[in-house]
Amino acid sequence: MHIAPLLTVGGDVALIGYILAFAGLIPIVLAVLVLKPRVPDRAPGQSDAAFWQVAIYPTIPVWALFEGAGILGAVGALLTGLWAPAAVVVISLACLLLMGPGHFENG
């Protein structure tokens, strides 16, 4: 079946895991500090449909960066077995849960 063996944790493998963890944190920081403030606030009395017509395009890149960071962390965790990339996956999932549609609708 040509299944590749998992990498054993050592000098270079640990470096790969930490690089992937750091690379996974960059999109999270970018999404929270740069892109999330660009999502417009919901006006009082504005309907859900009217809000999402305006807010969907700035919101999708925020969620995409959270998801991409989680994928990078998952690859790093599965390749190396280190805790740092796994922590990025947990942070990414927490960001997706905390900054989902309800977060932006409620302002």
Side-chain angles (χ1 to χ4, degrees), residues 1-7 78-79:
M1 299 276 277
H2 307 295
I3 298 174
L6 292 176
L7 302 174
L78 291 174
L79 282 179

Side-chain angles (χ1 to χ4, degrees), residues 40 42 45-56:
R42 185 174 181 173
Q46 188 177 26
S47 70
D48 288 342
F51 170 72
W52 282 112
Q53 283 180 344
V54 176
I56 192 68

